[in-house]
Amino acid sequence: MPKRIVRFLIFLSLSCASSATVLNGAENLPVKKEEKVLSIIQPYDKGIYTEEYISVTFQVDPDRVDTVKLFSSENERATIEMEEDRDTYHYLFRFSFGEHSIRAEAFKNGKRLAREKVKIFRKAFLSKYYRVAPPGYEVKFFHNDKMEKRCDMCHDMSVNEEKGVAFYDISESNCFDCHQSLLYKKFAHAPTVNFVCLPCHNGKTGEKNRKYRGKSKFLYPDPIGDTCFKCHKKNRKKWLARRNLHDPVGAGKCNLCHNPHSSDVNKNFLRERVWELCTSCHADKRSKKRYIALFKYRKNDGIGIDQKFIEGDFLCITCHDPHSSDRPYLLKEDYNGIENVCLTFSKEALR
Ligand code: HEC
Ligand code: HEC
Ligand code: HEC
Ligand code: HEC
Ligand code: HEC
Ligand code: HEC
Ligand code: HEC
């Protein structure tokens, strides 16, 4: 347990005795402590989330509860024993895309006293099934003064990141305790590795998320492209100078393809492996066979062809640049246009 938290825990045990009320319920109304045995503070009911790891924060009346059991719709469960003078607890769940629920049950001496359930939706940027949440769900924000007050007796809620200065030890970042799960992936983006969050989470909004202005201290502009290019200056220069920009790149939607924090996929933290990534939008290009067949055909035609195509060991980006190109169709190499490699190759041609 980090030192800072321990210190605040001691403070809590001193302050708890005198505090008559605690904040409770998603609506943030102060209620008498006695009224609520158990409440799930985070995630919000009917909230939309994007990351795989979602931390559950719940509050109990420590005098009336000795154990809380948590269940997720992914069949994960946890039993948490209450500690003396502590009212707020956490558990980290992992969710696949789609609709899920988290249930909490509070017990005293084996007797169930209360139950609470929240439903969440984990959005996928690239899947047509999970791109849009079912009705009733909405993006809800955590970082406002009201919510942060519920945590500040144990967590330091201030920002201690200085512009252009990396932490000597990232656990010094005030964001680390609660957001370290962003690093529970094989590959992580340099700013996230260093817990430098504010270049992106500068509180500003863009054309696509203006309606959220002021809802969180740590909003990011959507589209995020210009923000990415503030650090990736060389790419900006190179890519934007070319004649043809890939649509999502031109729209600044870098985060459709890249997870801005981290990913298990590869060192460019793509959201999916290249083939799946590209065909999630270009579904008509899904079959690899088409290309293999075509290159065989080209070979038979007497046109020299690289072995890798014939073996089938190639990706969309073997031929296409994912960002931009001076050539038509975002091609990496010159192409004389005599064949329809991708465009019109029909099922008949495979026979
Ligand atoms: C009573 C003290 C206390 C309060 C109040 C508290 N926390 Fe924590 N929090 C801790 C401790 C201690 C840890 C270290 C891990 C643990 O023991 O659960 C922690 C860790 C966390 C984590 C990381 C653990 C995980 O599951 O990834 C998150 C997220 C978190 N707290 C969020 C919150 C939020 C949000 C609030 C306010 C709504 C809050 N905490 C209020 C004591 C507290
Ligand atoms: C007490 C724990 C805690 C601390 C400390 C904390 N966060 Fe959060 N943060 C949360 C929780 C809980 C959420 C909501 C769940 C989620 O989106 O993961 C959240 C959400 C966010 C979001 C999404 C927007 C929003 O408001 O919901 C951003 C961005 C963010 N945090 C950035 C930061 C940064 C940057 C810091 C450090 C300056 C920080 N957080 C410190 C707990 C914390
Ligand atoms: C390179 C830009 C960038 C950096 C750096 C960055 N973020 Fe984000 N973050 C985003 C974008 C963009 C989103 C919107 C969701 C998405 O695209 O995945 C986001 C979303 C989030 C969310 C909401 C996740 C959810 O499940 O809804 C949290 C929490 C968050 N960021 C925390 C952080 C923290 C903490 C840091 C620093 C360690 C950080 N981010 C660094 C760009 C960034
Ligand atoms: C605060 C500066 C900063 C911002 C903002 C930023 N990056 Fe990065 N990014 C870096 C650094 C530093 C590296 C590591 C470069 C290296 O190791 O040479 C990196 C690496 C990468 C890599 C891995 C490939 C490489 O060049 O090493 C990708 C992909 C990437 N960033 C994409 C993005 C995207 C997409 C965004 C916007 C959502 C973004 N970056 C925003 C600083 C930033
Ligand atoms: C259509 C999906 C897609 C979009 C949108 C996209 N990228 Fe990429 N990006 C990729 C793929 C695929 C790779 C891997 C290329 C490779 O391995 O050759 C990549 C590689 C990168 C790299 C590392 C390699 C390099 O060429 O420098 C950086 C940095 C990067 N992208 C940044 C960005 C930024 C910034 C944006 C937004 C302006 C963006 N990307 C938008 C798919 C995308
Ligand atoms: C988020 C959706 C999305 C993803 C992911 C995506 N594209 Fe696209 N792409 C588009 C849109 C939109 C267009 C423009 C309309 C069209 O031609 O379908 C486009 C156009 C293209 C074009 C035609 C450009 C032209 O000049 O006619 C090529 C080639 C292409 N994409 C290749 C790729 C490759 C390769 C990948 C994977 C690295 C990829 N796309 C991933 C949305 C996407
Ligand atoms: C072997 C090289 C090669 C590979 C691999 C390849 N393409 Fe193409 N692609 C081309 C060429 C050449 C064109 C130009 C139009 C044509 O002749 O079909 C093209 C055209 C396109 C177009 C624009 C025309 C259209 O049909 O809408 C898109 C989009 C596209 N490719 C996406 C993809 C995706 C997605 C993948 C991976 C699933 C992929 N390509 C793999 C060579 C390739």
Side-chain angles (χ1 to χ4, degrees):
M1 191 187 287
K3 256 205 207 107
R4 188 171 53 246
I5 290 185
V6 178
R7 199 173 61 234
F8 279 104
L9 274 177
I10 294 165
F11 167 75
L12 171 73
S13 56
L14 295 173
S15 67
C16 241
S18 60
S19 77
T21 61
V22 291
L23 293 172
N24 220 335
E27 60 296 329
N28 293 319
L29 294 171
V31 291
K32 285 265 178 302
K33 195 174 176 177
E34 297 75 46
E35 283 175 12
K36 197 93 179 176
V37 177
L38 165 76
S39 65
I40 297 176
I41 304 175
Q42 270 292 319
Y44 293 119
D45 190 31
K46 294 286 183 95
I48 298 175
Y49 297 86
T50 59
E51 287 292 334
E52 184 170 357
Y53 289 97
I54 296 179
S55 183
V56 180
T57 296
F58 61 91
Q59 198 171 32
V60 295
D61 177 344
D63 298 334
R64 290 155 72 192
V65 176
D66 60 18
T67 309
V68 167
K69 289 189 180 166
L70 295 176
F71 307 86
S72 88
S73 52
E74 299 267 48
N75 282 327
E76 259 190 89
R77 51 179 62 206
T79 303
I80 299 162
E81 308 287 341
M82 305 299 104
E83 296 159 26
E84 212 175 319
D85 293 330
R86 179 174 174 180
D87 66 348
T88 308
Y89 296 84
H90 312 291
Y91 191 79
L92 196 62
F93 279 117
R94 199 171 167 170
F95 290 103
S96 55
F97 294 123
E99 213 175 356
H100 292 288
S101 64
I102 298 159
R103 199 173 83 235
E105 296 182 356
F107 295 84
K108 178 88 176 192
N109 300 326
K111 189 168 168 257
R112 194 172 75 194
L113 301 176
R115 253 176 89 130
E116 184 142 316
K117 189 172 163 179
V118 295
K119 286 175 117 186
I120 56 153
F121 181 78
R122 184 172 167 232
K123 169 192 157 132
F125 284 76
L126 294 169
S127 150
K128 72 169 182 245
Y129 306 107
Y130 305 124
R131 199 162 19 208
V132 181
Y137 285 90
E138 55 181 335
V139 178
K140 298 178 183 177
F141 299 98
F142 172 75
H143 284 285
N144 55 55
D145 288 339
K146 261 190 192 165
M147 284 309 287
E148 288 189 348
K149 255 206 196 82
R150 305 182 69 164
C151 324
D152 68 2
M153 51 179 113
C154 300
H155 294 277
D156 188 338
M157 298 308 295
S158 65
V159 174
N160 64 344
E161 176 180 326
E162 283 176 58
K163 204 177 169 188
V165 186
F167 291 100
Y168 177 70
D169 170 354
I170 53 167
S171 69
E172 284 167 15
S173 158
N174 286 349
C175 320
F176 184 79
D177 287 340
C178 299
H179 290 295
Q180 54 189 292
S181 63
L182 291 173
L183 297 180
Y184 296 172
K185 296 271 165 121
K186 279 196 209 112
F187 307 95
H189 193 199
T192 311
V193 172
N194 292 300
F195 259 74
V196 171
C197 316
L198 298 199
C200 293
H201 292 291
N202 51 20
K204 295 189 184 129
T205 57
E207 202 187 309
K208 297 269 187 253
N209 63 348
R210 272 234 168 98
K211 63 175 173 181
Y212 298 138
R213 185 182 286 168
K215 299 244 162 150
S216 162
K217 295 173 181 169
F218 302 124
L219 277 171
Y220 62 94
D222 183 14
I224 189 89
D226 286 339
T227 313
C228 305
F229 280 142
K230 277 198 182 133
C231 294
H232 294 281
K233 288 199 176 80
K234 272 194 203 142
N235 290 309
R236 172 191 208 127
K237 216 172 147 204
K238 198 165 73 183
W239 297 344
L240 299 192
R242 295 172 184 160
R243 216 168 305 139
N244 303 309
L245 274 186
H246 193 199
D247 248 52
V249 174
K253 304 288 275 178
C254 316
N255 58 329
L256 286 178
C257 298
H258 298 276
N259 183 311
H261 308 119
S262 54
S263 142
D264 282 327
V265 174
N266 73 4
K267 64 177 172 48
N268 291 321
F269 25 91
L270 296 177
R271 292 202 190 264
E272 301 278 353
R273 283 156 57 225
V274 173
W275 201 269
E276 284 77 31
L277 180 82
C278 303
T279 56
S280 64
C281 290
H282 301 286
D284 60 318
K285 306 282 187 290
R286 199 157 278 153
S287 167
K288 242 182 188 179
K289 274 194 201 134
R290 296 165 23 136
Y291 306 108
I292 300 166
L294 181 85
F295 281 100
K296 279 194 174 143
Y297 159 77
R298 277 186 78 177
K299 199 184 177 201
N300 295 340
D301 233 23
I303 305 165
I305 193 74
D306 197 319
Q307 191 64 25
K308 68 173 174 277
F309 294 125
I310 296 157
E311 303 292 320
D313 184 20
F314 57 85
L315 301 167
C316 312
I317 58 171
T318 310
C319 301
H320 296 284
D321 189 293
H323 305 106
S324 67
S325 168
D326 273 329
R327 300 178 183 86
Y329 304 114
L330 303 173
L331 289 168
K332 285 182 168 172
E333 309 275 343
D334 282 332
Y335 164 67
N336 60 15
I338 50 165
E339 295 136 28
N340 284 331
V341 176
C342 251
L343 186 60
T344 53
F345 225 71
S346 60
K347 282 195 192 102
E348 294 79 66
L350 287 176
R351 293 198 194 111

